[in-house]
Amino acid sequence: PCRPGCSQPHPAWPGTRQILVLGLDGAGKSSVLHSLATNQVKRSVAPTEGFNAVCINSGESQMEFLEIGGSESLRTYWKMYLPKVLLLIYVVDSADRARLPVAKELLHQLIQNNSTLPVVVLANKQDLEGAFCITDIYDALALSDTGDKRKMFLLGTHVAEDGSEISSSMKDAKELIAQLVLEMQ
Ligand SMILES: Nc1nc2c(ncn2[C@@H]2O[C@H](COP(=O)(O)OP(=O)(O)OP(=O)(O)O)[C@@H](O)[C@H]2O)c(=O)[nH]1
Ligand SMILES: [Mg+2]
């Protein structure tokens, strides 16, 4: 953690604008955050039961990420944290075709009242057979329909085997996020 409080289960970072990491349960939010934080792949083993706060340094930026678990009961908290955030990272499981419509609905609900909040969508699990490719994800999530004032990015990612170095797509995601944070400060 970059400062006390970062690893607390109930984040209360008054005055700090965070990067919120949302998406359905099992999409890979915790795995992505672990990998971004350590530059080593570590697939998360347990579902996030509440919040997962992670601080990551990248070049000049220090970034505070807050994941809220994606299970149905936790989704009610998603909205509460939105007003304070700088950037939304929305992670989807590209192979979970059955739930992409739900993922789409929830994303659109989240951003409908904030026309300028930048969004980075990570189309995760690109390694899985049957994963939708980027253009299919773009269509399935109706990303053309998120407003023209918004910065919207879509990147394919995957969290490879435990212990390996992170993939180039993950490095790209980290650089993009760091760049966006710098631009907004
Ligand atoms: N094949 C594959 N599996 C992945 C990938 N990313 C995550 N997983 C696996 O997917 C499962 C869920 O990953 P998590 O990172 O816990 O997902 P989450 O979005 O944090 O889920 P919640 O905390 O429950 O909301 C774990 O078993 C991971 O090992 C990926 O890119 N490819
Ligand atoms: Mg998690």
Side-chain angles (χ1 to χ4, degrees):
C2 57
R3 63 183 177 80
C6 265
S7 57
Q8 296 300 309
H10 299 292
W13 303 331
T16 316
R17 298 185 76 199
Q18 304 149 7
I19 301 167
L20 196 57
V21 183
L22 301 178
L24 296 183
D25 48 299
K29 300 178 295 297
S30 298
S31 307
V32 166
L33 282 181
H34 277 302
S35 306
L36 292 179
T38 61
N39 291 323
Q40 293 280 312
V41 171
K42 184 174 179 300
R43 284 189 179 170
S44 155
V45 281
T48 305
E49 303 289 357
F51 301 93
N52 173 31
V54 179
C55 292
I56 298 178
N57 289 305
S58 173
E60 310 134 77
S61 327
Q62 188 176 60
M63 304 181 282
E64 302 194 352
F65 292 80
L66 178 67
E67 173 198 358
I68 308 177
S71 64
E72 245 179 295
S73 57
L74 291 170
R75 289 177 209 159
T76 50
Y77 296 100
W78 287 6
K79 254 201 165 113
M80 294 181 199
Y81 284 83
L82 263 188
K84 283 202 285 180
V85 304
L86 208 58
L87 173 67
L88 171 65
I89 314 285
Y90 195 75
V91 184
V92 298
D93 176 343
S94 309
D96 188 359
R97 295 172 177 226
R99 291 204 300 166
L100 279 172
V102 181
K104 169 196 152 189
E105 277 311 308
L106 293 173
L107 172 62
H108 285 260
Q109 276 172 28
L110 277 168
I111 61 177
Q112 66 184 358
N113 293 323
N114 187 337
S115 62
T116 55
L117 177 70
V119 180
V120 176
V121 176
L122 299 181
N124 193 39
K125 304 201 187 182
Q126 284 292 316
D127 59 301
L128 290 182
E129 216 172 302
F132 265 176
C133 67
I134 295 303
T135 47
D136 290 341
I137 294 287
Y138 186 85
D139 292 339
L141 297 178
L143 294 185
S144 58
D145 198 18
T146 54
D148 48 15
K149 281 185 279 177
R150 186 189 312 284
K151 284 185 186 163
M152 164 68 71
F153 302 87
L154 171 62
L155 293 178
T157 55
H158 74 278
V159 181
E161 284 312 307
D162 266 347
S164 59
E165 205 192 309
I166 55 171
S167 59
S168 59
S169 62
M170 205 64 87
K171 286 184 190 154
D172 291 344
K174 189 168 175 172
E175 269 174 34
L176 170 68
I177 293 163
Q179 188 57 45
L180 286 170
V181 168
L182 272 182
E183 281 171 20
M184 279 175 295
Q185 273 164 353

